[in-house]
Amino acid sequence: MASDAESPEDRKPQTDEARSAFTPPLGMPYTPLPEDEHPTSEFAVPEGMRTEAPVEPEGSAFAPPGSSTSGGNGSTTGTHPLPTTPAGWPAFTPPHGIPAISLTKDVPWQDRMRTMLRMPVTERPAPERSERADEAGPAVPRVLDLTLRIGEILLAGGEGAEDVEAAMFGVAHAYGLERVEPTVTFTLLSISYQPSLVDDPVTASRTVRRRGVDYTRLSAVFRLVDDITSDGITLEEAYRGLAEIRRNRHPFPSWALTVASGLLSGAASMLVGGGLTVFIAAAIGSMLGDRLAWLASGRGLPEFYQFVAAAMPPAAMGVALSMTDTGVQASAVITGGLFALIPGRALVAGVQDGLTGYYITAAARLLEVGYLIVGIVIGVLGVLYLGVQLSAHTLNPEEALGTYDEPVVQIIASLLLALAFCVLLQQERHTVLFATFNGGVAWVAYGVLVQANVNPVVGTTIAAGLVGLFGQLLSRYRYASALPYVTAAIGPLLPGSATYFALLNFAQGNLNEGISSLIKAVSLALAIAVGVNLGGEVARLFIRAPSGEDAANRRAAKRTRGF
């Protein structure tokens, strides 16, 4: 619309006469417009219509970053807010670009890589790498091979699927592979790399056929991944480091593992009320079972039969003592043997994978736990059935192990139990003290809650939550895996006595009581698994997560309501 400040001489003619060839000469006044005519522009907004709010003006790609500030729900440039998506991300790339996630060694690599792994591929920041004169670019096949080998060691050592994927992604990303997607299942590792949208993807896979427990090797791999993702060591240095890790021997010989197995069973028997005689009997039975399992392993038998063989000597020792008149508590002997056999870490890892969305791996881990427990049941139940037939009144399922109340003895026994677990897990010596102390704290917390008449399942969940909390905090403080600080510490909480009473009732034909005890044992085992995972998630609240100016933290899975 024409401005009111314009003079009549500067006003553009509006009538048909004014636009004709008979336009008045320059300097002559225009003919006044009729009162019923209202000159308007074709771009003017009709009367009664409201104008839209001004949108963000186009910025320049050369605008300095200092011209943008953050405010409200999104970034702002000058005084106009940037349009944002529901997730809080800018609807378009601002002039200064999307802030990148910090990849420096200010937070553990697990958190950094987990954050990036849960981001869409288009939103992941590009790798920050410097080109060397002697390196033309990343050797894709070698990088993928190194990534798979590292993932194999972590998965075979019992690490959770989420951390294995984070480690594989971190290694590939550190060597310049941007569009990479790792996939982890229980026995298969695969990784796919696509250089660009128009190039064919490169995919490699590796099968995990053998598993072994060596937390010293696991910790060394964690340090290697930290060096790769933070310090930027070369590919050749990473290969040399991985070869050195594979060549290293276990810190404890096989005879030390056998002694630790006996110490574990003896401490567990004292935890439920056994004395010195029970301690010795449980230790001897567990060491015999360990040697028998080693013999079965040397013959090439599957792990299922190894557990059957390992479960028989402790049960036989308890049945033999029950037939004597020494008054030895046979139930404590057999319970101590069960503590050394229950696969607690596999159960925790299975539940953890399920809670974090890796359902295939979780199902496979839980199925493995089921097979191993069936092997324990067959070994113990066969011996108990034979003992019941020989002397039906010597084994009493009504023995109340929970009434044993000797705090000092039980705390010492819990510390010894956690210490023995550390040796069996081949942990590094500097982690043994922390894991042992963590196990003692777990038992003290459980004992206090039970004395306060708290349900055993709830008390076990809270105690296991403390184990997971302290384990995660210690692992992040030392930039290491949480397994060495968690697995041994949950040993005193394992449901050995409930499992024993379930098997004994089954052997005596008391199906209702046996099912009740079995349900209690399963509930306690799941309480341990859920508590450890919950404690680990709570620990993240105290950890400084990686973030940029507007970077999102670890993205949670959406609730699908079962669809």
Side-chain angles (χ1 to χ4, degrees), residues 2 4 16 25 32 54 65 97 109 128 201 224 280 291 369 381 439 450-451 546:
D4 296 336
D16 293 338
W109 64 264
E128 299 177 359
L224 176 62
I280 296 175
R291 286 291 92 190
V369 171
L381 193 58
V450 170
Q451 290 294 327

Side-chain angles (χ1 to χ4, degrees), residues 112-149:
R112 288 182 279 132
M113 294 303 115
R114 188 183 293 110
T115 299
M116 294 181 60
L117 190 61
R118 294 200 173 192
M119 295 175 62
V121 177
T122 56
E123 297 179 6
R124 293 174 183 170
E128 299 177 359
R129 62 183 186 275
S130 58
E131 298 292 342
R132 296 182 175 88
D134 56 342
E135 293 186 5
V140 174
R142 298 199 68 196
V143 172
L144 297 183
D145 177 71
L146 175 67
T147 302
L148 290 173
R149 291 179 182 273

Side-chain angles (χ1 to χ4, degrees), residues 345-540:
R345 173 53 202 169
L347 177 65
V348 172
V351 174
Q352 179 181 357
D353 289 341
L355 293 176
T356 52
Y358 297 85
Y359 300 115
I360 297 177
T361 307
R365 288 187 190 271
L366 294 178
L367 184 61
E368 181 191 37
V369 171
Y371 271 109
L372 297 182
I373 291 179
V374 169
I376 298 172
V377 169
I378 291 176
V380 176
L381 193 58
V383 176
L384 288 180
Y385 182 78
L386 180 61
V388 169
Q389 296 302 317
L390 294 176
S391 180
H393 300 289
T394 54
L395 294 172
N396 183 15
E398 301 298 331
E399 291 177 295
L401 297 179
T403 58
Y404 181 69
D405 187 15
E406 291 291 339
V408 177
V409 175
Q410 289 178 311
I411 291 175
I412 295 175
S414 65
L415 294 174
L416 290 176
L417 193 152
L419 176 63
F421 257 122
C422 292
V423 177
L424 288 175
L425 297 172
Q426 300 280 6
Q427 293 190 193
E428 292 179 304
R429 288 177 172 81
H430 68 83
T431 65
V432 171
L433 180 61
F434 295 101
T436 302
F437 179 75
N438 202 10
V441 170
W443 178 257
V444 170
Y446 173 76
V448 170
L449 292 172
V450 170
Q451 290 294 327
N453 295 324
V454 177
N455 186 278
V457 176
V458 177
T460 301
T461 304
I462 296 175
L466 292 177
V467 170
L469 174 64
F470 294 147
Q472 286 290 337
L473 293 178
L474 286 171
S475 67
R476 293 305 190 266
Y477 175 73
R478 293 181 171 269
Y479 290 82
S481 172
L483 292 183
Y485 304 102
V486 171
T487 306
I490 64 175
L493 303 176
L494 294 176
S497 59
T499 305
Y500 162 71
F501 286 130
L503 299 180
L504 182 56
N505 279 290
F506 286 144
Q508 293 182 339
N510 303 323
L511 297 182
N512 293 333
E513 292 80 358
I515 293 175
S516 177
S517 297
L518 185 61
I519 292 176
K520 180 180 178 181
V522 173
S523 301
L524 292 174
L526 292 178
I528 294 173
V530 174
V532 169
N533 182 265
L534 182 61
E537 295 299 328
V538 171
R540 302 182 193 279

